[in-house]
Amino acid sequence: MTHPFPVKVVALQAGVSVATVDRVIKQRGGVHANTVRRVMQALDELARQSTQVGLAGRKFMLDVLMVAPRRFTDAVRAALEAELPSLHPAVLRSRFHLHETLEVDGIVDQLERIRKNGSHGVLLKAPDLPLVAEAVNRLAAAGIPVVTLVTDLPASVRRGYVGMDNRAAGETAACLIGRWLGAGQRPRKQQVLVTLSSNRFHGEEEREIGFRRALRERHRHLSIVEVSEGHGIDGATGALVREALATHPGIAAVYSIGGGNTAIVQAFAQAGRPCQVFIGHDLDADNVALLKSGAIHAVLHHDLGQDMRRACQEILRAQGALPALAQVPPLSAIQIVTPWNLPALNGVN
C-alpha cells in the first residue's frame, strides 16, 4: 500500500500508534477491523485535505464529533474544509467522527479516546446529557477546548457555542406559520406538527420553547402536535409522522426542527393530506431539492461557513494562536430562505 504521507502524520490523524499504522500499511495483520478502518479513513482525510495544508505556520489537530443525519454532517464537513485555507498561516487538520445515531456511552467513549490520544480542540454536536457534559469537562481539564455546534451543552465548561439563537429561530417559525395560515381569512383552530430528532438536544428544545411561546402570545388559534426520537432519519421520522397524521386530522402545517423532511413530505402525500405551510431548518441537499420543488415553503438557515470559521478561531484563541476578543461575538444570523432566494452553497446543488 503506497501513500504520500509520513507514517507519523498518518498515526496522528488516525489517533493510533506509529506501529499500528505500519502494520496496517504493510498488511501484516493482527489489527482490529475498526482500527484498520480508522487508518484508512485517516489516509482519505489527509488526501482530501492535502491541498489545504501549507508548510508555514503552526499546525493544529481538530476533532469533529457529531451525532446528526448524514445530510447535515456532509454539509458541515464541506463547510469546514472550505474554510480551512482562510485560517492560514495557521494550519488545521481535521479528524471526523460522524454518527447518525450514537448512545451516550459511545459519545463518552469517543470523547475519552480523543482526550487520551490528544487534540488541539473539539467541535461537538451532541445531546445535552450529564455524562456528555462531564466528558467535556475532562477534556477542558486536559487542556483540550470544546466548541459546541448548533446545539449547546450549557452545563459544561465548553469554550463556547457557535450557531444561531435557537429560541429566536423557533419564534421566527411561529411568526411565519401563524401569518401564512391566517392570511386573508378569519383565524380558525388548526394544528401544527412539530418534529424533533430527539428531545435530548438542547438546541432543538430551545427551538420548540420559542415556537410554543410565540404561538401562545400571538397565534392562540394554533395548537401543537409533537413527535420526537426519529433522529432526523427518514425511515423512523416517516413512521412517526404517518402515525400523527392518522391520529390528528387537524394538522395543517409542519415545523420540522429535527429534519427528515423528505419522509415528512412523503407521509403527507401517502395520507392524501395537504400541508399548507412547511418550515424546516438548514440548507442541506434534501432541503434545497424540496425548496426547489415547492414541497417546503421556507428554511431557517445560518451560514455554516461562518460558523466553522468562528469555531476554528475560538480553538486557536484557546491555544494562544489568536488574541482574545474584547467581547463575545454575536450568534449566527437567522436567514429565511425561500425557493426565490436560494443562495449558492459549497457542496449543495
Side-chain angles (χ1 to χ4, degrees):
M1 184 188 305
T2 60
H3 61 88
F5 310 107
V7 172
K8 183 168 63 175
V9 173
V10 179
L12 177 62
Q13 182 76 16
V16 299
S17 69
V18 169
T20 297
V21 172
D22 187 71
R23 293 187 69 86
V24 173
I25 290 173
K26 294 180 179 177
Q27 300 178 326
R28 294 206 302 266
V31 181
H32 194 280
N34 287 339
T35 304
V36 173
R37 282 194 292 271
R38 180 65 245 183
V39 171
M40 300 306 294
Q41 181 181 338
L43 288 168
D44 178 65
E45 291 171 353
L46 286 168
R48 285 189 291 102
Q49 297 170 26
S50 61
T51 58
Q52 302 163 350
V53 177
L55 298 176
R58 295 175 58 184
K59 294 180 174 63
F60 299 87
M61 180 59 68
L62 186 69
D63 285 277
V64 183
L65 173 55
M66 300 185 68
V67 182
R70 182 173 177 178
R71 60 182 174 272
F72 184 68
T73 59
D74 282 351
V76 170
R77 184 201 287 266
L80 175 59
E81 293 184 341
E83 289 300 319
L84 291 181
S86 71
L87 298 166
H88 285 193
V91 175
L92 276 76
R93 289 196 177 106
S94 49
R95 295 185 294 216
F96 293 93
H97 317 271
L98 310 176
H99 307 270
E100 290 207 305
T101 60
L102 188 64
E103 293 301 319
V104 62
D105 289 345
I107 297 170
V108 171
D109 286 346
Q110 293 235 325
L111 292 174
E112 284 297 296
R113 193 174 301 119
I114 291 169
R115 182 179 66 84
K116 291 175 181 176
N117 291 334
S119 178
H120 291 105
V122 177
L123 306 186
L124 178 64
K125 180 185 182 296
D128 183 18
L129 297 170
L131 289 175
V132 178
E134 290 167 10
V136 168
N137 294 347
R138 288 192 291 272
L139 282 165
I144 302 174
V146 176
V147 173
T148 53
L149 299 176
V150 183
T151 183
D152 201 6
L153 297 169
S156 73
V157 292
R158 85 298 188 258
R159 172 77 184 190
Y161 162 73
V162 170
M164 65 170 61
D165 181 334
N166 285 301
R167 194 167 293 201
E171 293 171 341
T172 301
C175 175
L176 294 173
I177 290 176
R179 287 180 178 275
W180 280 344
L181 280 184
Q185 60 183 7
R186 186 174 181 179
R188 58 189 178 88
K189 291 187 179 298
Q190 293 177 291
Q191 293 176 313
V192 180
L193 179 65
V194 175
T195 64
L196 297 89
S197 70
S198 173
N199 57 23
R200 301 185 302 175
F201 286 102
H202 180 78
E204 294 194 15
E205 180 184 37
E206 287 288 289
R207 291 174 185 178
E208 184 192 17
I209 290 171
F211 187 77
R212 286 183 179 275
R213 183 172 66 186
L215 288 191
R216 184 171 60 251
E217 292 177 354
R218 304 181 188 92
H219 307 287
R220 288 183 172 273
H221 61 291
L222 300 179
S223 59
I224 290 174
V225 175
E226 178 190 320
V227 299
S228 183
E229 308 312 312
H231 304 290
I233 298 171
D234 283 349
T237 301
L240 291 169
V241 173
R242 287 192 294 272
E243 181 180 351
L245 290 174
T247 307
H248 300 279
I251 292 174
V254 172
Y255 176 33
S256 174
I257 292 175
N261 294 342
T262 298
I264 297 172
V265 169
Q266 290 172 348
F268 272 84
Q270 290 166 5
R273 298 268 294 276
C275 181
Q276 296 180 46
V277 185
F278 194 133
I279 308 296
H281 273 273
D282 304 313
L283 283 180
D284 55 44
D286 284 7
N287 281 345
V288 169
L290 292 170
L291 274 171
K292 288 180 177 178
S293 72
I296 62 179
H297 303 94
V299 165
L300 303 182
H301 178 63
H302 53 114
D303 187 338
L304 282 178
Q306 182 185 72
D307 286 352
M308 294 303 101
R309 185 163 58 254
R310 287 181 176 177
C312 290
Q313 289 171 342
E314 194 59 36
I315 296 296
L316 293 176
R317 288 188 191 98
Q319 295 295 344
L322 287 177
L325 293 175
Q327 57 185 18
V328 177
L331 297 176
S332 302
I334 301 169
Q335 304 172 22
I336 301 172
V337 181
T338 71
W340 298 277
N341 67 333
L342 272 167
L345 299 169
N346 288 321
V348 180
N349 296 320

